[in-house]
Amino acid sequence: PAPSGEPAAVVWQRAEAGGTTVLELRAADAAGLLYRVARALEDAGADVRAARIATLGGAVVDAFYLVGAWPRGPARAAVEAAVLAAAGAPAGPIAGRRVADEPVSTVDVHVRVT
């Protein structure tokens, strides 16, 4: 998780099952954060199949299972920028910490997003 004072980070993960790509947000917790991020994903055109939400002390690690492959490119960059902005990351060329793609071998869904 992003400790207090560190910028928010997005980690993209390739899910090996379910036809989804996982966008994981690591950020400091704040009132309304989940709402702002969910709204940003919707506004950016991302189809969220499911989500796993975790709060660890003052930090969150929220995983959103997006339908499709989401390869690197403008659409993925726009979704990432929208999520980081919703998490309070400063605007600009680097809106938050970017973490390289990490593979995921299983999909563990606890919360359905409808």
Side-chain angles (χ1 to χ4, degrees):
S4 181
E6 277 193 36
V10 165
V11 178
W12 290 91
Q13 302 174 344
R14 298 177 309 274
E16 295 178 1
T20 60
T21 299
V22 181
L23 181 153
E24 182 179 279
L25 172 65
R26 300 174 185 177
D29 195 13
L33 176 63
L34 181 57
Y35 169 80
R36 289 192 309 275
V37 171
R39 182 64 184 229
L41 287 167
E42 180 181 3
D43 291 348
D47 185 6
V48 179
R49 177 173 291 165
R52 186 180 66 219
I53 308 304
T55 303
L56 310 167
V60 298
V61 179
D62 295 345
F64 299 90
Y65 295 79
L66 308 182
V67 174
W70 288 92
R72 293 175 195 254
R76 178 170 154 169
V79 167
E80 182 172 316
V83 167
L84 289 170
I94 300 176
R97 292 186 303 126
R98 298 182 78 176
V99 181
D101 290 345
E102 298 175 356
V104 173
S105 59
T106 61
V107 176
D108 182 20
V109 179
H110 297 282
V111 178
R112 296 284 304 167
V113 177
T114 58

